[in-house]
Amino acid sequence: MAEDIDVAQPSAPRPAEPSVLDSFPMRDDEGQIRHEFAEEITRAIEATDKPLLREVVAELHEADLGDLIAALEPEDRVKLVELTGTHFDFSALNEVDDSVREEILEELEPETVAEGVRELESDDAVELLEGLDEEDQEEILEKLPPSERDALERSLLYPENSAGRRMQSEFIAVPPDWTVGQAIDYMRDTPDLPARFYEIYAVDADKHWHGAVSLDALLRAHRPVPLAELVDEDRRRVSVLDDQEEVARMFGKYNLVAAPVVDTTNRLVGVITIDDVVDVIEEEADEDLKALGGVTSDEELSDSVWTIARGRFNWLLVNLATAFLASSVLGLFEGQLEKMVALAVLAPIVASQGGNAATQTMTVAVRALATRELGSNNAYRVVMREAMVGLVNGLAFAVITGIAAVAWFRIPGLGVVIGMAIVCNLVAGALGGILIPMVLERVRADPAVASGTFVTTITDVVGFFSFLGIATLWFGLR
């Protein structure tokens, strides 16, 4: 018989201290900030209740704190930062709209912002400062110690949307002639290591890149093993000048969680981690989605009416010009429209169907170009496929629309006319929806921004012209 073995029982844990958020639940069932919670924080701000505010701020994650800031009235946001002092996590300001962040930073004293920046990782600090004008940046940077100021200034000098702007300058670099034991001891004894890291890097005395060692390989090796045996010299890395979208694409393609960043002389200057890349993916997706609707990439929900109206005006003006172009086609058939009112009623249907089909194709094409899935090697095949899709759907809707038109107006030939026009316009919409983004990409224009207006114009012009032209020939209208 097996002997009974006494297993030590853990002592009962002490009950956790009640959280202030237990008394004031922050979010509702849909995950939104509760109105009552925001009101409670507002009352605490008005009463200058620093202990309560600091306790709340200390318990909140930076993303939740950002949501709380957005839920407050503008005049209360700065007061919250000032009343909570050093308890306030400035990384929360990177979680709010750009306009909200800039309003708060402009109201705070440079010394307060500088103290908050010092507590951030370098990439978060750069993100916080880059939206400010140079004068405000310089005023804040002057309050920082020289070493910290120099690192941030170097990062701000890199082009916008580059890897140099996204990287954090905190990383672990060791000589390649060390052993595993020396590297582990160094990490244990060094107090100011990055908050999170996934690999260490081998560099020479001039910080030139030699390779990377993943933490799992390091921990599996024995202490006397030379680090050089574990170094991956072919580790994928990025240049400080690489576009952030290309970096994100590389992370997705090769399943990376971190990538070293080198300058033009192959010196290691930083590292980009997966959390930075997720932000890039969200930003690029947001930008493309807005661009397809003719909205500027920097428009935010918190913007004023005037700012939003001014940002949308230019593309609306372009759309107005193209609408006049499409309407001029109707003017060419003024006499025919007067003789058969049914043509004026049905013409918008043809244009609308072509426009919807073109938008479907354009959306797929713009996305494929952005992800590099569509290129010269498969362009012909994809274009022909979209044309065939337009033809198939065109024939199907030709029958449906033709039957509906005959049933409506009791004119047998009208069904044939609108059916032929539907086929023409859906094929034209499919071709325009893919060829226009490809042409814009070739001339280095952003397909997401400009495609919609041109594609809509093509489907309107082709739709009106084909329908009214075929009707003129079919019915002999003059």
Side-chain angles (χ1 to χ4, degrees):
M1 292 179 61
E3 296 182 2
D4 292 334
I5 299 175
D6 292 331
V7 178
Q9 298 296 324
S11 58
R14 294 182 179 179
E17 291 291 333
S19 166
V20 66
L21 296 181
D22 294 335
S23 304
F24 307 110
M26 178 178 179
R27 297 187 182 276
D28 58 23
D29 294 338
E30 297 179 354
Q32 302 298 316
I33 299 290
R34 293 174 62 249
H35 182 65
E36 294 81 4
F37 181 82
E39 285 186 335
E40 187 67 33
I41 298 300
T42 300
R43 283 193 290 269
I45 292 173
E46 292 173 350
T48 320
D49 190 347
K50 292 183 180 181
L52 173 62
L53 294 173
R54 289 174 178 176
E55 188 176 355
V56 170
V57 166
E59 291 186 19
L60 291 179
H61 184 274
E62 61 195 56
D64 294 323
L65 182 53
D67 289 344
L68 172 59
I69 292 170
L72 296 176
E73 294 297 326
E75 61 271 14
D76 291 328
R77 294 165 180 165
V78 175
K79 293 178 183 177
L80 176 65
V81 180
E82 293 174 338
L83 290 172
T84 52
T86 57
H87 294 75
F88 184 84
D89 184 357
F90 268 71
S91 60
L93 296 183
N94 288 331
E95 304 292 334
V96 301
D97 291 349
D98 292 347
S99 57
V100 173
R101 178 169 60 249
E102 290 168 16
E103 287 176 4
I104 294 174
L105 293 177
E106 288 174 358
E107 291 294 327
L108 293 174
E109 293 295 328
E111 293 82 1
T112 303
V113 179
E115 285 299 318
V117 166
R118 293 195 64 188
E119 300 301 321
L120 302 178
E121 293 183 344
S122 57
D123 55 336
D124 291 331
V126 170
E127 184 179 356
L128 193 72
L129 295 173
E130 65 183 352
L132 302 176
D133 56 46
E134 292 185 8
E135 183 178 345
D136 291 334
Q137 285 181 11
E138 188 61 33
E139 193 172 3
I140 294 169
L141 290 171
E142 285 179 354
K143 309 298 181 182
L144 298 175
S147 59
E148 298 178 21
R149 179 176 65 244
D150 292 344
L152 292 177
E153 286 178 339
R154 282 195 301 270
S155 295
L156 290 168
L157 288 175
Y158 292 120
E160 189 177 0
N161 297 327
S162 67
R165 281 286 186 96
R166 280 291 177 182
M167 71 179 185
Q168 64 180 64
S169 56
E170 300 90 0
F171 54 86
I172 301 176
V174 298
D177 56 357
W178 275 13
T179 64
V180 169
Q182 286 176 296
I184 292 176
D185 290 341
Y186 169 76
M187 288 188 287
R188 286 174 176 168
D189 298 336
T190 304
D192 56 347
L193 294 180
R196 296 183 184 88
F197 56 93
Y198 308 95
E199 54 195 13
I200 66 174
Y201 305 110
V203 298
D204 60 23
D206 295 322
K207 292 190 177 180
H208 288 111
W209 160 266
H210 279 250
V213 180
S214 61
L215 290 184
D216 60 296
L218 188 72
L219 295 176
R220 288 190 179 105
H222 295 290
R223 291 180 62 87
V225 173
L227 210 59
E229 295 183 10
L230 305 179
V231 169
D232 180 7
E233 298 178 354
D234 298 324
R235 183 76 169 85
R236 295 191 180 277
R237 55 194 184 275
V238 299
S239 166
V240 289
L241 300 179
D242 286 347
D243 185 85
Q244 63 179 16
E245 193 170 356
E246 294 294 332
V247 174
R249 190 173 295 113
M250 186 184 77
F251 267 69
K253 185 174 183 179
Y254 297 106
N255 300 321
L256 303 178
V257 293
V261 183
V262 297
D263 64 12
T264 54
T265 63
N266 204 37
R267 293 174 66 251
L268 181 65
V269 293
V271 61
I272 290 182
T273 53
I274 187 64
D275 58 315
D276 303 314
V277 172
V278 170
D279 290 340
V280 170
I281 294 172
E282 290 182 349
E283 289 176 9
E284 295 294 340
D286 179 70
E287 181 179 333
D288 289 345
L289 183 62
K290 288 178 178 177
L292 283 172
V295 177
T296 57
S297 60
D298 56 352
E299 180 178 313
E300 304 285 357
L301 287 176
S302 57
D303 288 344
S304 66
V305 172
W306 172 248
T307 300
I308 295 175
R310 185 178 55 187
R312 298 181 185 181
F313 179 84
N314 290 338
W315 275 112
L316 288 176
L317 183 62
V318 173
N319 286 334
L320 179 62
T322 57
F324 273 109
L325 176 62
S327 297
S328 66
V329 175
L330 295 175
L332 298 176
F333 297 93
E334 183 178 356
Q336 291 87 333
L337 291 171
E338 290 177 352
K339 293 179 181 179
M340 188 177 289
V341 177
L343 298 181
V345 175
L346 295 175
I349 295 177
V350 179
S352 175
Q353 282 296 96
N356 291 334
T359 300
Q360 291 175 332
T361 304
M362 179 186 68
T363 302
V364 173
V366 169
R367 183 58 184 162
L369 288 169
T371 58
R372 301 294 188 268
E373 296 177 20
L374 178 59
S376 56
N377 60 325
N378 63 348
Y380 178 78
R381 176 176 60 82
V382 175
V383 169
M384 293 306 299
R385 185 200 68 184
E386 291 298 329
M388 291 303 299
V389 170
L391 178 61
V392 170
N393 279 336
L395 292 172
F397 281 99
V399 175
I400 296 171
T401 311
I403 293 173
V406 172
W408 189 355
F409 290 100
R410 308 295 181 184
I411 304 176
L414 197 57
V416 177
V417 170
I418 195 171
M420 295 172 64
I422 285 282
V423 172
C424 291
N425 206 24
L426 260 67
V427 172
L431 291 174
I434 191 167
L435 291 176
I436 287 177
M438 290 175 63
V439 170
L440 292 172
E441 175 82 1
R442 183 61 60 89
V443 300
R444 302 196 179 282
D446 188 350
V449 175
S451 296
T453 299
F454 295 121
V455 168
T456 301
T457 301
I458 286 178
T459 55
D460 285 350
V461 170
V462 172
F464 291 145
F465 193 86
S466 61
F467 179 53
L468 298 176
I470 293 171
T472 300
L473 295 176
W474 185 271
F475 294 110
L477 299 174
R478 294 291 185 271

